[in-house]
């Protein structure tokens, strides 16, 4: 049964990765990236994409042989997040505070946690408000980056 769940996770993950990559490539700033993350989060909640991963993470807590399999499937998402923010962070004050890899780990963890809470509570408003707040912060960081280029 675990192999079937892992295959489902792989199928969902592959499709989502292509979709996310296209959306990230269209982003022109850190603020755009946060807005993209918000749109993806909303879309994922509507379609239940992350639910498969969340369920696999929960199952891995009680099935030790499943842990490395699930961890191997999360690792590319952290790499994707780090690669997506690396260029946009460069030259901003945030680049001195966090490495892209550390921030990516936090982003993936936050995304999964927000997904779980939104599903549990049946309400996504609090999560979307966090994305909106993050976009405001990102816009400020974008200003610093633009000033440095000028």
């Amino acid at each position: 049964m675990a192999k079937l769940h892992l295959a489902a996770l792989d199928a969902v993950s592959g499709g989502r990765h292509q979709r996310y990559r296209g959306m990230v490539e269209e982003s022109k700033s850190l603020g755009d990236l946060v807005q993209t993350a918000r749109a993806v989060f909303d879309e994922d909640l509507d379609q239940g994409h992350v639910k498969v991963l969340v369920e696999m993470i929960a199952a891995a807590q009680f099935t030790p042989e499943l842990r490395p399999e699930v961890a191997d499937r999360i690792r590319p998402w952290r790499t994707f997040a780090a690669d997506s923010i690396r260029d946009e962070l460069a030259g901003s004050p945030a680049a001195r505070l966090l490495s892209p890899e550390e921030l990516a780990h936090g982003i993936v963890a936050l995304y999964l946690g927000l997904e779980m809470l939104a599903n549990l509570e049946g309400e996504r408003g609090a999560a979307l408000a966090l994305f909106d707040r993050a976009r405001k912060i990102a816009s400020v960081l974008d200003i610093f980056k633009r000033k440095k280029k000028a």
Side-chain angles (χ1 to χ4, degrees), residues 41 45 112-128:
F41 180 80
L45 280 175
L112 292 172
L114 289 174
E115 165 85 15
M116 289 185 340
L117 288 175
N119 279 320
L120 177 69
E121 297 169 344
E123 169 55 39
R124 64 183 76 182
L128 295 177

Side-chain angles (χ1 to χ4, degrees), residues 5 17 66 76 83 88 90 96 101 107 119 128 134:
H5 286 114
H17 195 206
L66 196 54
D83 291 346
E88 295 307 327
R96 293 183 213 125
E101 291 75 21
I107 289 168
N119 279 320
L128 295 177

Side-chain angles (χ1 to χ4, degrees), residues 26 44 48 55 67 93 122 146:
E26 293 176 14
D44 283 346
E55 290 176 7
R67 287 180 189 163
R146 282 191 292 267

Side-chain angles (χ1 to χ4, degrees), residues 66-139:
L66 196 54
R67 287 180 189 163
E69 296 287 342
V70 175
D72 284 347
R73 285 159 172 85
I74 292 174
R75 197 169 295 113
W77 288 106
R78 286 199 318 256
T79 300
F80 174 71
D83 291 346
S84 298
I85 60 176
R86 184 173 281 106
D87 289 342
E88 295 307 327
L89 277 180
S92 79
R96 293 183 213 125
L97 299 173
L98 290 168
S99 72
E101 291 75 21
E102 290 170 334
L103 188 54
H105 184 79
I107 289 168
V108 171
L110 179 64
Y111 193 92
L112 292 172
L114 289 174
E115 165 85 15
M116 289 185 340
L117 288 175
N119 279 320
L120 177 69
E121 297 169 344
E123 169 55 39
R124 64 183 76 182
L128 295 177
L130 283 174
F131 280 103
D132 293 341
R133 180 76 57 182
R135 181 151 193 227
K136 289 177 184 177
I137 293 167
S139 296

